[in-house]
Amino acid sequence: MNLQEAVKLVGSIRENLAKVIVGKKEGVDLLLTALLANGHVLLEDVPGTGKTLLAKVLARSLDSSFKRIQFTPDLLPSDLSGINFYNQKTGEFQFRPGPVFTSILLADEINRATPRTQSSLLESMEERQITIDGVTHMLESPFLVIATQNPVDSQGTFPLPEAQLDRFLMRITTGYPSFEEGVHILQRFRESNPLDEAVPVASAADILAAQRLTAAIEISDELLGYIIRITEATRKSSSVRLGASPRASGALLRASQGYALIQGRSYVIPDDIKAVAVAVLAHRLLLSRGLGVREGQAAEIVQQVLREVEVPAEPVAASGKARGE
């Protein structure tokens, strides 16, 4: 797959999403970026703003296996991973895979499950495998977790552990639709469900090829240094108790490569890094106690860092082409 083919593929997926999703262009672009960067996504917003619908229509756009888990307080880790059970006919223990054995996993309202159940996804999200009773099982490829959650101040929710949050490449918040978009939504859903119009437009092989191309998108050494300076600046902020980790730096690199590809470029520019920085970094910051932490404060800190960190003078790679293109 070359760059033009990858851009065409992304365009087909975006058109499929547009059949169902009204507006949310920035959120859609970030979701597609995460898909290309082989990263998991956390969709966070108040109930009723289309988080689950966005995840479902993306899943329908890809000709891959898809499973949905509704997270509840009584959900157990084995309900996700599967169990070994004794088969009386064969006299042996047999493994019954759980819903995590899929290509696209929708973890709906993930913060309604207990931290123990939430953390059971750590190995599968990080290593694309899961270990049960000492036996390691490989997951499908590509493997994408799209989790939705309501804000932590919603009743009956459990905040995700920091280690769990760090496994999500991005946290995306789309917000309420505008007045015009609200009217359009009512018109679109008045007589039928447009989700029925979404059809697969990309295979698993297509996505894997696009992900390989994304990893080959060029980025100059100057911009690599720019990424490091951004993450270091989050650690030096007086408002932050725990800043962005080296894993966050790698995530920002991968996301900027994915964003460059969906813009039709074979190289990263500073605007790509800026476009994804809040979604990649904000949910990884642990704010200092006593600040009266409020919604959006971490995002404001990342935006402040972007304003303060100097952009390299000559950031673009000389060749302007992705390796292997």
Side-chain angles (χ1 to χ4, degrees), residues 83-100:
I83 59 171
N84 283 314
F85 70 98
Y86 184 73
N87 190 325
Q88 293 183 340
K89 292 183 179 180
T90 62
E92 298 177 345
F93 280 93
Q94 185 175 335
F95 177 61
R96 179 181 294 160
V100 74

PDB file of all heavy atoms in Angstrom, residues 83-100:
ATOM      1  N   ILE A  83     -12.506 -18.428  30.278  1.00  0.00           N
ATOM      2  CA  ILE A  83     -12.217 -19.339  31.388  1.00  0.00           C
ATOM      3  C   ILE A  83     -11.797 -20.711  30.863  1.00  0.00           C
ATOM      4  O   ILE A  83     -12.081 -21.077  29.717  1.00  0.00           O
ATOM      5  CB  ILE A  83     -13.449 -19.523  32.304  1.00  0.00           C
ATOM      6  CG1 ILE A  83     -14.639 -20.077  31.496  1.00  0.00           C
ATOM      7  CG2 ILE A  83     -13.815 -18.222  32.996  1.00  0.00           C
ATOM      8  CD1 ILE A  83     -15.818 -20.492  32.351  1.00  0.00           C
ATOM      9  N   ASN A  84     -11.115 -21.447  31.731  1.00  0.00           N
ATOM     10  CA  ASN A  84     -10.869 -22.868  31.496  1.00  0.00           C
ATOM     11  C   ASN A  84     -11.944 -23.654  32.240  1.00  0.00           C
ATOM     12  O   ASN A  84     -12.130 -23.470  33.444  1.00  0.00           O
ATOM     13  CB  ASN A  84      -9.484 -23.268  32.010  1.00  0.00           C
ATOM     14  CG  ASN A  84      -8.380 -22.828  31.077  1.00  0.00           C
ATOM     15  OD1 ASN A  84      -8.474 -23.010  29.871  1.00  0.00           O
ATOM     16  ND2 ASN A  84      -7.321 -22.241  31.629  1.00  0.00           N
ATOM     17  N   PHE A  85     -12.667 -24.507  31.531  1.00  0.00           N
ATOM     18  CA  PHE A  85     -13.710 -25.300  32.181  1.00  0.00           C
ATOM     19  C   PHE A  85     -13.467 -26.786  31.920  1.00  0.00           C
ATOM     20  O   PHE A  85     -12.814 -27.170  30.942  1.00  0.00           O
ATOM     21  CB  PHE A  85     -15.100 -24.891  31.676  1.00  0.00           C
ATOM     22  CG  PHE A  85     -15.383 -25.281  30.257  1.00  0.00           C
ATOM     23  CD1 PHE A  85     -16.102 -26.437  29.962  1.00  0.00           C
ATOM     24  CD2 PHE A  85     -14.936 -24.498  29.200  1.00  0.00           C
ATOM     25  CE1 PHE A  85     -16.360 -26.804  28.652  1.00  0.00           C
ATOM     26  CE2 PHE A  85     -15.193 -24.855  27.888  1.00  0.00           C
ATOM     27  CZ  PHE A  85     -15.911 -26.010  27.614  1.00  0.00           C
ATOM     28  N   TYR A  86     -13.993 -27.597  32.810  1.00  0.00           N
ATOM     29  CA  TYR A  86     -13.792 -29.043  32.702  1.00  0.00           C
ATOM     30  C   TYR A  86     -14.841 -29.640  31.774  1.00  0.00           C
ATOM     31  O   TYR A  86     -16.047 -29.535  32.010  1.00  0.00           O
ATOM     32  CB  TYR A  86     -13.881 -29.698  34.078  1.00  0.00           C
ATOM     33  CG  TYR A  86     -13.593 -31.179  34.054  1.00  0.00           C
ATOM     34  CD1 TYR A  86     -12.301 -31.651  33.862  1.00  0.00           C
ATOM     35  CD2 TYR A  86     -14.623 -32.107  34.227  1.00  0.00           C
ATOM     36  CE1 TYR A  86     -12.031 -33.011  33.838  1.00  0.00           C
ATOM     37  CE2 TYR A  86     -14.367 -33.469  34.207  1.00  0.00           C
ATOM     38  CZ  TYR A  86     -13.062 -33.908  34.007  1.00  0.00           C
ATOM     39  OH  TYR A  86     -12.805 -35.265  33.982  1.00  0.00           O
ATOM     40  N   ASN A  87     -14.371 -30.242  30.697  1.00  0.00           N
ATOM     41  CA  ASN A  87     -15.253 -30.892  29.728  1.00  0.00           C
ATOM     42  C   ASN A  87     -15.432 -32.351  30.133  1.00  0.00           C
ATOM     43  O   ASN A  87     -14.504 -33.158  30.042  1.00  0.00           O
ATOM     44  CB  ASN A  87     -14.650 -30.798  28.321  1.00  0.00           C
ATOM     45  CG  ASN A  87     -15.629 -31.239  27.250  1.00  0.00           C
ATOM     46  OD1 ASN A  87     -16.435 -32.146  27.454  1.00  0.00           O
ATOM     47  ND2 ASN A  87     -15.550 -30.601  26.082  1.00  0.00           N
ATOM     48  N   GLN A  88     -16.624 -32.675  30.605  1.00  0.00           N
ATOM     49  CA  GLN A  88     -16.870 -34.031  31.099  1.00  0.00           C
ATOM     50  C   GLN A  88     -16.796 -35.078  29.985  1.00  0.00           C
ATOM     51  O   GLN A  88     -16.472 -36.241  30.240  1.00  0.00           O
ATOM     52  CB  GLN A  88     -18.235 -34.093  31.775  1.00  0.00           C
ATOM     53  CG  GLN A  88     -18.310 -33.279  33.065  1.00  0.00           C
ATOM     54  CD  GLN A  88     -19.656 -33.410  33.754  1.00  0.00           C
ATOM     55  OE1 GLN A  88     -20.645 -33.786  33.134  1.00  0.00           O
ATOM     56  NE2 GLN A  88     -19.691 -33.113  35.046  1.00  0.00           N
ATOM     57  N   LYS A  89     -17.071 -34.673  28.755  1.00  0.00           N
ATOM     58  CA  LYS A  89     -17.030 -35.643  27.652  1.00  0.00           C
ATOM     59  C   LYS A  89     -15.601 -36.071  27.335  1.00  0.00           C
ATOM     60  O   LYS A  89     -15.341 -37.240  27.051  1.00  0.00           O
ATOM     61  CB  LYS A  89     -17.684 -35.042  26.410  1.00  0.00           C
ATOM     62  CG  LYS A  89     -19.184 -34.824  26.550  1.00  0.00           C
ATOM     63  CD  LYS A  89     -19.776 -34.284  25.253  1.00  0.00           C
ATOM     64  CE  LYS A  89     -21.282 -34.096  25.380  1.00  0.00           C
ATOM     65  NZ  LYS A  89     -21.886 -33.565  24.121  1.00  0.00           N
ATOM     66  N   THR A  90     -14.682 -35.115  27.358  1.00  0.00           N
ATOM     67  CA  THR A  90     -13.289 -35.432  27.019  1.00  0.00           C
ATOM     68  C   THR A  90     -12.441 -35.718  28.252  1.00  0.00           C
ATOM     69  O   THR A  90     -11.348 -36.269  28.136  1.00  0.00           O
ATOM     70  CB  THR A  90     -12.654 -34.265  26.244  1.00  0.00           C
ATOM     71  OG1 THR A  90     -12.640 -33.094  27.078  1.00  0.00           O
ATOM     72  CG2 THR A  90     -13.452 -33.968  24.978  1.00  0.00           C
ATOM     73  N   GLY A  91     -12.939 -35.311  29.423  1.00  0.00           N
ATOM     74  CA  GLY A  91     -12.166 -35.506  30.640  1.00  0.00           C
ATOM     75  C   GLY A  91     -10.990 -34.554  30.750  1.00  0.00           C
ATOM     76  O   GLY A  91     -10.042 -34.816  31.496  1.00  0.00           O
ATOM     77  N   GLU A  92     -11.036 -33.452  30.015  1.00  0.00           N
ATOM     78  CA  GLU A  92      -9.949 -32.480  30.020  1.00  0.00           C
ATOM     79  C   GLU A  92     -10.500 -31.073  30.222  1.00  0.00           C
ATOM     80  O   GLU A  92     -11.684 -30.812  29.986  1.00  0.00           O
ATOM     81  CB  GLU A  92      -9.171 -32.535  28.697  1.00  0.00           C
ATOM     82  CG  GLU A  92      -8.498 -33.868  28.418  1.00  0.00           C
ATOM     83  CD  GLU A  92      -7.811 -33.872  27.069  1.00  0.00           C
ATOM     84  OE1 GLU A  92      -8.108 -32.954  26.261  1.00  0.00           O
ATOM     85  OE2 GLU A  92      -6.996 -34.774  26.816  1.00  0.00           O
ATOM     86  N   PHE A  93      -9.590 -30.189  30.656  1.00  0.00           N
ATOM     87  CA  PHE A  93      -9.969 -28.788  30.753  1.00  0.00           C
ATOM     88  C   PHE A  93      -9.907 -28.155  29.362  1.00  0.00           C
ATOM     89  O   PHE A  93      -9.003 -28.440  28.569  1.00  0.00           O
ATOM     90  CB  PHE A  93      -9.046 -28.039  31.715  1.00  0.00           C
ATOM     91  CG  PHE A  93      -9.406 -28.242  33.159  1.00  0.00           C
ATOM     92  CD1 PHE A  93      -8.799 -29.251  33.898  1.00  0.00           C
ATOM     93  CD2 PHE A  93     -10.361 -27.438  33.765  1.00  0.00           C
ATOM     94  CE1 PHE A  93      -9.136 -29.454  35.229  1.00  0.00           C
ATOM     95  CE2 PHE A  93     -10.705 -27.630  35.093  1.00  0.00           C
ATOM     96  CZ  PHE A  93     -10.092 -28.642  35.828  1.00  0.00           C
ATOM     97  N   GLN A  94     -10.862 -27.314  29.087  1.00  0.00           N
ATOM     98  CA  GLN A  94     -10.969 -26.684  27.773  1.00  0.00           C
ATOM     99  C   GLN A  94     -11.118 -25.178  27.950  1.00  0.00           C
ATOM    100  O   GLN A  94     -11.795 -24.711  28.864  1.00  0.00           O
ATOM    101  CB  GLN A  94     -12.175 -27.259  27.027  1.00  0.00           C
ATOM    102  CG  GLN A  94     -12.332 -26.775  25.601  1.00  0.00           C
ATOM    103  CD  GLN A  94     -13.478 -27.496  24.898  1.00  0.00           C
ATOM    104  OE1 GLN A  94     -13.843 -28.617  25.261  1.00  0.00           O
ATOM    105  NE2 GLN A  94     -14.050 -26.841  23.899  1.00  0.00           N
ATOM    106  N   PHE A  95     -10.465 -24.432  27.067  1.00  0.00           N
ATOM    107  CA  PHE A  95     -10.503 -22.977  27.166  1.00  0.00           C
ATOM    108  C   PHE A  95     -11.668 -22.420  26.359  1.00  0.00           C
ATOM    109  O   PHE A  95     -11.851 -22.754  25.187  1.00  0.00           O
ATOM    110  CB  PHE A  95      -9.194 -22.371  26.657  1.00  0.00           C
ATOM    111  CG  PHE A  95      -9.184 -20.865  26.664  1.00  0.00           C
ATOM    112  CD1 PHE A  95      -9.335 -20.159  27.852  1.00  0.00           C
ATOM    113  CD2 PHE A  95      -9.036 -20.155  25.487  1.00  0.00           C
ATOM    114  CE1 PHE A  95      -9.330 -18.773  27.867  1.00  0.00           C
ATOM    115  CE2 PHE A  95      -9.027 -18.770  25.485  1.00  0.00           C
ATOM    116  CZ  PHE A  95      -9.174 -18.082  26.677  1.00  0.00           C
ATOM    117  N   ARG A  96     -12.453 -21.572  27.016  1.00  0.00           N
ATOM    118  CA  ARG A  96     -13.556 -20.887  26.347  1.00  0.00           C
ATOM    119  C   ARG A  96     -13.197 -19.405  26.254  1.00  0.00           C
ATOM    120  O   ARG A  96     -13.203 -18.690  27.254  1.00  0.00           O
ATOM    121  CB  ARG A  96     -14.854 -21.069  27.113  1.00  0.00           C
ATOM    122  CG  ARG A  96     -16.059 -20.344  26.489  1.00  0.00           C
ATOM    123  CD  ARG A  96     -17.305 -20.563  27.325  1.00  0.00           C
ATOM    124  NE  ARG A  96     -17.705 -21.959  27.313  1.00  0.00           N
ATOM    125  CZ  ARG A  96     -18.503 -22.517  28.226  1.00  0.00           C
ATOM    126  NH1 ARG A  96     -18.950 -21.788  29.242  1.00  0.00           N
ATOM    127  NH2 ARG A  96     -18.826 -23.789  28.136  1.00  0.00           N
ATOM    128  N   PRO A  97     -12.870 -18.906  25.056  1.00  0.00           N
ATOM    129  CA  PRO A  97     -12.429 -17.509  24.917  1.00  0.00           C
ATOM    130  C   PRO A  97     -13.526 -16.522  25.303  1.00  0.00           C
ATOM    131  O   PRO A  97     -14.712 -16.753  25.056  1.00  0.00           O
ATOM    132  CB  PRO A  97     -12.082 -17.390  23.427  1.00  0.00           C
ATOM    133  CG  PRO A  97     -11.944 -18.792  22.942  1.00  0.00           C
ATOM    134  CD  PRO A  97     -12.860 -19.624  23.777  1.00  0.00           C
ATOM    135  N   GLY A  98     -13.105 -15.419  25.887  1.00  0.00           N
ATOM    136  CA  GLY A  98     -14.032 -14.344  26.218  1.00  0.00           C
ATOM    137  C   GLY A  98     -14.126 -13.336  25.086  1.00  0.00           C
ATOM    138  O   GLY A  98     -13.480 -13.480  24.041  1.00  0.00           O
ATOM    139  N   PRO A  99     -14.897 -12.288  25.266  1.00  0.00           N
ATOM    140  CA  PRO A  99     -15.108 -11.301  24.199  1.00  0.00           C
ATOM    141  C   PRO A  99     -13.866 -10.508  23.826  1.00  0.00           C
ATOM    142  O   PRO A  99     -13.858  -9.842  22.788  1.00  0.00           O
ATOM    143  CB  PRO A  99     -16.194 -10.388  24.776  1.00  0.00           C
ATOM    144  CG  PRO A  99     -16.155 -10.608  26.250  1.00  0.00           C
ATOM    145  CD  PRO A  99     -15.726 -12.019  26.448  1.00  0.00           C
ATOM    146  N   VAL A 100     -12.801 -10.564  24.644  1.00  0.00           N
ATOM    147  CA  VAL A 100     -11.587  -9.835  24.301  1.00  0.00           C
ATOM    148  C   VAL A 100     -10.911 -10.441  23.074  1.00  0.00           C
ATOM    149  O   VAL A 100     -10.087  -9.782  22.422  1.00  0.00           O
ATOM    150  CB  VAL A 100     -10.619  -9.806  25.506  1.00  0.00           C
ATOM    151  CG1 VAL A 100      -9.964 -11.165  25.701  1.00  0.00           C
ATOM    152  CG2 VAL A 100      -9.567  -8.722  25.346  1.00  0.00           C
TER     153      VAL A 100
END
